[in-house]
């Protein structure tokens, strides 16, 4: 079974498409810590398409719109219940590498952002692989790991606002040897609470 998470792994990607991706990578700007441009060519090479893509990919996007409806309904239900549980945080996970977590996360984030109901912050939770920024064709040196380790950074310093309306990205940053401790820390809990708010 082909991994959905391998960049440019789709056998349907032609030599011409690979050249577009390479040219696009050369021309993409470094992140200034605030604004980045998501590359449609690199997304397409990874089997991910923006909502405005050609009609041949509408079916896949419609499947994510169906998931979006369920996610938004769950958020509304949790908020109406007033239990204090936040439906604003959504975790995409699986038991093994290569199951399609990055692919699914990006597609779902694009779908949620395209609905226009809410702003979406897509966070790369895998600080060891850090594949999310590569999938989107953007560069980022800092991320949430750096935010937890350094006192001189704020969330505004590391969130990347994109050219896709309502979509921002929170990269993982530089892997830390204390990653397990950081994820279990009070700082991480506070960060998630800030993101949910």
């Amino acid at each position: 079974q082909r991994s959905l998470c391998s960049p440019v792994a789709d056998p349907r990607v032609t030599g011409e498409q690979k050249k577009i991706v390479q040219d696009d990578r050369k021309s993409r700007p470094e992140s200034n810590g605030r604004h980045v441009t998501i590359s449609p060519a690199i997304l397409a090479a990874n089997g991910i398409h923006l909502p405005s893509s050609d009609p041949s990919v509408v079916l896949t996007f419609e499947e994510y719109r169906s998931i979006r409806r369920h996610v938004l309904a769950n958020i509304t239900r949790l908020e109406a219940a007033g239990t204090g549980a936040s439906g604003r945080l959504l975790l995409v996970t699986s038991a093994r590498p290569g199951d399609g977590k990055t692919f699914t996360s990006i597609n779902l984030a694009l779908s949620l952002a395209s609905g226009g109901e809410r702003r979406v912050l897509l966070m790369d939770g895998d600080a060891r692989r850090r594949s999310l920024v590569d999938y989107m064709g953007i560069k980022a040196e800092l991320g949430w790991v750096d935010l937890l380790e350094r006192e001189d950074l704020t969330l505004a310093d590391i969130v990347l606002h994109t050219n896709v309306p309502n979509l921002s990205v929170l990269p993982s940053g530089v892997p830390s040897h204390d990653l397990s401790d950081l994820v279990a820390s009070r700082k991480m809990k506070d960060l998630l609470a800030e993101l949910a708010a």
Side-chain angles (χ1 to χ4, degrees):
Q1 183 177 8
R2 181 175 65 83
S3 168
L4 294 174
C5 270
S6 301
V8 201
D10 192 329
R12 295 170 294 177
V13 175
T14 65
E16 172 115 8
Q17 287 171 317
K18 286 180 182 175
K19 183 176 184 327
I20 291 170
V21 168
Q22 289 165 351
D23 292 344
D24 199 61
R25 279 197 173 120
K26 288 175 191 170
S27 64
R28 70 186 181 194
E30 289 285 341
S31 163
N32 64 1
R34 297 280 306 164
H35 297 276
V36 292
T37 300
I38 293 176
S39 165
I42 294 176
L43 282 180
N46 287 297
I48 300 167
H49 303 274
L50 294 171
S52 58
S53 296
D54 66 76
S56 65
V57 298
V58 167
L59 180 60
T60 301
F61 203 76
E62 279 302 316
E63 291 168 348
Y64 282 100
R65 278 191 178 148
S66 175
I67 297 170
R68 179 185 75 194
R69 284 191 290 273
H70 290 287
V71 169
L72 292 175
N74 193 49
I75 291 170
T76 303
R77 181 182 58 79
L78 287 170
E79 288 177 346
T83 60
S86 177
R88 294 179 176 187
L89 299 177
L90 178 65
L91 175 66
V92 177
T93 188
S94 74
R96 299 167 305 181
D99 280 344
K101 294 177 288 295
T102 303
F103 179 87
T104 297
S105 298
I106 295 172
N107 273 299
L108 185 54
L110 288 169
S111 179
L112 286 165
S114 74
E117 296 98 340
R118 295 177 182 266
R119 290 178 298 156
V120 177
L121 178 65
L122 176 59
M123 177 179 175
D124 187 356
D126 191 344
R128 302 221 187 273
R129 294 183 67 200
R130 301 188 297 164
S131 57
L132 187 135
V133 291
D134 289 335
Y135 264 64
M136 303 184 89
I138 58 181
K139 293 181 181 180
E141 298 303 322
L142 298 174
W144 60 264
V145 173
D146 306 281
L147 179 65
L148 297 183
E149 288 188 318
R150 292 170 47 179
E151 298 296 327
D152 62 323
L153 292 175
T154 66
L155 189 57
D157 294 326
I158 60 172
V159 170
L160 306 176
H161 302 286
T162 75
N163 55 316
V164 176
N166 302 315
L167 180 66
S168 297
V169 175
L170 180 57
S172 60
V174 179
S176 168
H177 63 280
D178 295 326
L179 188 58
S180 297
D181 291 336
L182 281 175
V183 170
S185 70
R186 176 70 193 198
K187 278 187 166 183
M188 184 66 169
K189 185 177 179 181
D190 291 344
L191 172 61
L192 293 175
E194 185 178 356
L195 296 179

